[in-house]
Amino acid sequence: MSALGAVAIPSTLVLRSVQSCLLGLALFVGTADAVAQQQGADRDSVVVVGGDYNYPPYEFLDEEGQPAGYNTDLTRAIAEVMGFEVEIRLGNWAEMRQLLAEGEVDVLQGMAHSPERAELYDFAPPHAIVHQSVFARKGQAAINDLEELRGKEVIVQERGVMHDLMLQHDIGARLFPAEAHADALRMLASGKHDYALVANLPGLYLGRELELSNIEPVGKTFAAQRYGYSVLKGNEELLAQFSEGLAILMNTGRQQEIYERWLGPLEHQAMPWKKIGQGAAVVSALLLVVLGGIVIWNRMLTREVARRTQELQIQQQKLIQTDKMTSLGVLVSGVAHEINNPCSLVTMNLAMLKEVLRDSEEAYEAYYEQHGDFLLGHLPYTRMSKEIPRMLEDISSGAQRIRRIVDDLRDFARQGPVELSESVDLNEVVATAIRLVDNTIRKSTDRFEVRYSPSAARFRGNAQKIEQVVINLIVNACQALDSRNQSVCVAIQHDADNHLICLEVRDEGRGIEPENLSRLSDPFFTTKRDQGGMGLGLSVSLSIVQEHGGTLSHHSAPGKGTCAVLALPIKRGASTNEQ
């Protein structure tokens, strides 16, 4: 036993030592894992809240680079009442949305709700309502609807709610994304682009802080959106904590205190019209009570006054038209004189230039035969010898056309006693009217057609007055067109059986509603009020036609165009052979 025992005892001690070491190592590893898990749990218990670094007064970085604003204070208060820790990160808004999608950020503390965003995010009950406004440089036109931004250059915050909305609804504006609201307003104030579409309160706040005195909100605020906490779809548990915390703050009045501290002063400054409107409503109600009795008492008198006023207006408009045409006649006569003088000079000098060209042709040809082709007016003589005669003819034709148009205008505007004793050729009247409205026709349609009467039947009347009627009918037809592919056709027909000469003006325009056909000749009735129409054209035209013993009728259906028919009697002494 001595030898064997001597060996066995040390082996047992060694084995026990090894076991002790392994047990200690296991305990150490277990303790380390527990510590690591506890540290991981501590990290997981910190909720990372993201936001915009430059969206005051809701959220922004202060002068020391620390998160501040209404959203920030609200988030810290929620974390306090719910007993969890938060880490608030403020940065570029587009990057914050990306970090939320990648899981680096757990919740965004301020996101405007929209149906499209609701497909990607879950939203807590809103803690504010955000209105969007259009800002512009002072003096620019007001914007009352987003559709009015079509074709304009508009600055928006990149991936902001209005950026999303403008893209999704294809408003048609040219968008220029900016990183933050402050960048958008600086770009606008520096003269870049037309408008900036930003949140109302942040825009007012930044405009004041940055002293951007040359920009202002134009038009009404619109696109009110619910604004609050949002998480990715599927993270309802975290969102529920923020919703519960927000409910606690609202019920205790703490949320309202935070709101008033940050947004109250700006709202009072930005909406001075609210109190004014309330006061105006009270005053209006009192006035309505006082004036109600007076309105009832004066109802019958008002109707009579309205009837007499309408009669006076009709007479007044006729006097205005007469005075206008008199002034136009004086003006056109003076202008015609000033235009005809240079036209006469052009015509006279053209005749001399043609003689000079004929006299110099022989010398040019001789020089050409001796020296070959040469430059004349920077072009080869062989080409100019053919072009110069054409140029002179074109100049002559243009001068004659100017003279003819001026004479037509002068005749149209000439005022004098209205006598129906002229022998009038309707073909000539229509040709003159077409020349006067040629520009309107060219702008309205590519398919204008005119057919004259081969018999050239004359009638007794006043050419100037009938010309006014024809011009009115052609202009009305052009204004009824919706595209240049639609046609206008003017046709003159001689109805020998009924002793009538008829003018038909047919268009392929939008047509006239049945209930409006019978009212076309009523004074002041017009379907073109928004285009400046007064509703007197057809009324005056009908009066002129009736003076001539004729008729003026319209046939139309919505979407199928309109046909206006002027019929004038051919009286004795106004035959086709009368000169």
Side-chain angles (χ1 to χ4, degrees), residues 89-254:
R89 298 181 188 174
L90 301 185
N92 177 278
W93 176 245
E95 294 177 358
M96 285 295 108
R97 287 184 62 178
Q98 185 62 32
L99 291 176
L100 179 66
E102 295 173 353
E104 295 292 326
V105 169
D106 300 315
V107 58
L108 293 179
Q109 62 182 4
M111 176 181 277
H113 180 277
S114 71
E116 293 78 15
R117 287 179 170 181
E119 297 177 1
L120 301 174
Y121 308 100
D122 285 328
F123 290 83
H127 55 66
I129 298 296
V130 175
H131 293 80
Q132 305 292 329
S133 288
V134 177
F135 279 72
R137 289 180 291 277
K138 290 184 176 179
Q140 286 187 258
I143 297 294
N144 295 313
D145 190 89
L146 288 179
E147 285 291 337
E148 296 178 19
L149 295 175
R150 186 175 299 277
K152 306 293 185 183
E153 295 185 359
V154 181
I155 311 168
V156 294
Q157 184 181 26
E158 185 177 5
R159 298 197 67 186
V161 65
M162 297 311 293
H163 190 187
D164 294 345
L165 186 147
M166 297 288 280
L167 293 175
Q168 288 157 2
H169 295 280
D170 191 21
I171 298 299
R174 287 176 286 174
L175 302 181
F176 294 84
E179 182 175 309
H181 276 39
D183 299 321
L185 295 177
R186 287 193 193 97
M187 292 168 64
L188 181 67
S190 67
K192 296 179 180 178
H193 313 302
D194 300 317
Y195 297 96
L197 187 51
V198 298
N200 189 47
L201 288 184
L204 293 172
Y205 185 97
L206 289 166
R208 184 184 66 185
E209 293 298 314
L210 300 176
E211 298 183 356
L212 303 177
S213 58
N214 65 329
I215 63 173
E216 61 183 358
V218 293
K220 62 181 181 181
T221 59
F222 49 87
Q225 290 128 353
R226 302 191 301 274
Y227 182 72
Y229 292 95
S230 63
V231 298
L232 287 178
K233 285 283 188 182
N235 202 358
E236 294 89 350
E237 183 178 350
L238 176 60
L239 188 64
Q241 295 185 59
F242 278 88
S243 299
E244 183 179 350
L246 180 60
I248 293 172
L249 296 181
M250 287 182 173
N251 289 331
T252 59
R254 192 171 171 187

Side-chain angles (χ1 to χ4, degrees), residues 311-329:
E311 293 177 356
L312 290 173
Q313 285 177 337
I314 294 172
Q315 296 298 324
Q316 182 183 21
Q317 290 297 332
K318 289 183 178 180
L319 291 173
I320 292 173
Q321 182 69 10
T322 302
D323 182 67
K324 185 190 300 183
M325 296 306 295
T326 301
S327 301
L328 181 62

Side-chain angles (χ1 to χ4, degrees), residues 251-547:
N251 289 331
T252 59
R254 192 171 171 187
Q255 180 267 344
Q256 188 63 32
E257 292 177 4
I258 299 173
Y259 188 94
E260 287 295 330
R261 183 165 67 249
W262 285 103
L263 282 76
L266 272 178
E267 282 192 338
H268 299 323
Q269 174 187 349
M271 301 178 63
W273 296 107
K274 186 175 182 180
K275 291 184 177 179
I276 296 175
Q278 292 173 345
V282 174
V283 174
S284 298
L286 293 175
L287 288 176
L288 285 174
V289 172
V290 174
L291 294 176
I294 300 175
V295 170
I296 296 173
W297 181 73
N298 283 334
R299 181 172 296 174
M300 297 302 297
L301 180 61
T302 301
R303 291 177 181 175
E304 181 65 21
V305 170
R307 186 182 65 82
R308 293 182 177 273
T309 300
Q310 186 176 14
E311 293 177 356
L312 290 173
Q313 285 177 337
I314 294 172
Q315 296 298 324
Q316 182 183 21
Q317 290 297 332
K318 289 183 178 180
L319 291 173
I320 292 173
Q321 182 69 10
T322 302
D323 182 67
K324 185 190 300 183
M325 296 306 295
T326 301
S327 301
L328 181 62
V330 175
L331 177 63
V332 168
S333 297
V335 172
H337 177 73
E338 295 298 326
I339 294 178
N340 280 335
N341 283 343
C343 279
S344 299
L345 183 62
V346 170
T347 304
M348 181 178 65
N349 288 340
L350 275 174
M352 182 177 295
L353 288 174
K354 289 179 180 178
E355 292 293 332
V356 170
L357 180 61
R358 282 194 292 269
D359 293 343
S360 61
E361 281 181 352
E362 184 176 348
Y364 282 136
E365 288 295 327
Y367 187 86
Y368 172 72
E369 291 176 359
Q370 293 179 8
H371 301 282
D373 206 356
F374 60 93
L375 293 179
L376 187 64
H378 301 290
L379 291 175
Y381 167 72
T382 52
R383 178 179 174 184
M384 290 297 290
S385 62
K386 300 175 183 178
E387 293 291 336
I388 292 178
R390 267 199 295 265
M391 292 179 183
L392 294 177
E393 287 301 324
D394 289 343
I395 295 173
S396 178
S397 298
Q400 292 299 326
R401 188 168 185 271
I402 292 172
R403 181 188 295 274
R404 187 168 59 250
I405 291 174
V406 170
D407 290 342
D408 290 342
L409 280 172
R410 184 170 53 189
D411 292 340
F412 176 72
R414 182 181 295 117
Q415 294 292 308
V418 178
E419 296 182 0
L420 306 180
S421 58
E422 302 176 23
S423 176
V424 182
D425 186 342
L426 190 57
N427 285 343
E428 294 179 359
V429 170
V430 171
T432 301
I434 290 174
R435 286 198 299 270
L436 289 175
V437 297
D438 179 67
N439 189 49
T440 299
I441 295 172
R442 291 177 182 274
K443 289 182 177 179
S444 303
T445 178
D446 295 326
R447 298 172 56 199
F448 182 81
E449 180 184 358
V450 57
R451 296 196 296 270
Y452 296 102
S453 172
S455 60
R458 293 176 176 268
F459 64 93
R460 284 285 179 184
N462 185 286
Q464 177 189 349
K465 291 290 186 180
I466 297 301
E467 182 182 313
Q468 183 177 350
V469 175
V470 175
I471 288 175
N472 194 5
L473 296 179
I474 295 176
V475 169
N476 284 350
C478 290
Q479 292 177 345
L481 303 182
D482 292 321
S483 72
R484 298 184 61 85
N485 292 326
Q486 295 175 326
S487 67
V488 173
C489 179
V490 179
I492 303 173
Q493 299 176 351
H494 179 202
D495 186 354
D497 295 337
N498 296 311
H499 303 287
L500 295 173
I501 182 71
C502 300
L503 170 69
E504 182 180 283
V505 180
R506 184 183 298 274
D507 66 73
E508 295 180 345
R510 61 186 69 94
I512 303 171
E513 298 293 335
E515 62 270 18
N516 292 334
L517 269 176
S518 60
R519 304 179 59 197
L520 290 180
S521 59
D522 291 352
F524 305 106
F525 174 78
T526 178
T527 59
K528 298 176 288 186
R529 188 80 61 188
D530 56 340
Q531 303 175 22
M534 293 192 306
L536 289 173
L538 287 178
S539 176
V540 173
S541 297
L542 182 60
S543 299
I544 294 173
V545 173
Q546 289 174 344
E547 288 177 357

